[in-house]
Amino acid sequence: MAKNQLAIVRYSLPARANAHFLRAAVVIGLPMTILGHVLQAIELHTAIAAAIQPLGGALVFFWIIGRASEGFPGAVGWFLSCAPVVYLGQISYGIYVYHRVMPPLLARLGFGFAADHSTPARWLMVLVSVGTASLSFHLFESPING
């Protein structure tokens, strides 16, 4: 189910059913995501991992967005209001834009392992994507928005 279809279903439900729908999304999505990552890490059934990991991730993020729209209480609310997390939210569009171009760019710069899907390569992509998004935010987005 596409993300916008999930949103349509969610907002067309009564409040009580909406809460159940959000809970089901995380109860189903989180194990799917974890299983997909584990299968990929041990290089077992990578076709299955490639199928369930994105769907599980979409369900988990659907839950996060749904809950965030209502506000998180307690420790989760405190964590989401911490300065580093808020900052990642500010630069998140840049992370989204730049994360796709990083593997081929780093491969062209001599980081050949960056194009694979190993854990070190993924962490390199995260660091480079966040750094690039941060520079973009401060050098381009903030001056334009100002």
Side-chain angles (χ1 to χ4, degrees):
M1 190 177 278
K3 293 173 195 166
N4 59 347
Q5 291 170 321
L6 286 171
I8 290 169
V9 169
R10 177 176 181 240
Y11 290 109
S12 64
L13 295 172
R16 185 177 172 103
N18 191 0
H20 291 302
F21 188 68
L22 279 178
R23 191 173 309 112
V26 75
V27 166
I28 294 167
L30 192 58
M32 286 175 71
T33 303
I34 293 169
L35 178 63
H37 280 290
V38 168
L39 290 174
Q40 192 169 26
I42 62 175
E43 297 180 3
L44 180 68
H45 299 295
T46 54
I48 294 171
I52 66 170
Q53 190 175 348
L55 177 59
L59 289 170
V60 169
F61 283 109
F62 175 77
W63 174 80
I64 290 170
I65 292 167
R67 286 300 314 252
S69 70
E70 300 166 1
F72 282 102
V76 174
W78 172 84
F79 173 75
L80 291 176
S81 64
C82 288
V85 177
V86 171
Y87 181 72
L88 284 174
Q90 287 178 319
I91 67 169
S92 63
Y93 183 72
I95 295 169
Y96 166 74
V97 169
Y98 296 117
H99 87 279
R100 289 293 211 174
V101 299
M102 288 305 147
L105 177 65
L106 288 173
R108 287 194 97 175
L109 294 173
F111 296 94
F113 77 95
D116 70 24
H117 296 287
S118 67
T119 301
R122 286 177 185 244
W123 278 108
L124 177 64
M125 291 307 113
V126 168
L127 293 174
V128 173
S129 296
V130 169
T132 305
S134 182
L135 286 171
S136 175
F137 180 78
H138 291 288
L139 297 176
F140 299 110
E141 295 172 50
S142 287
I144 290 170
N145 288 333

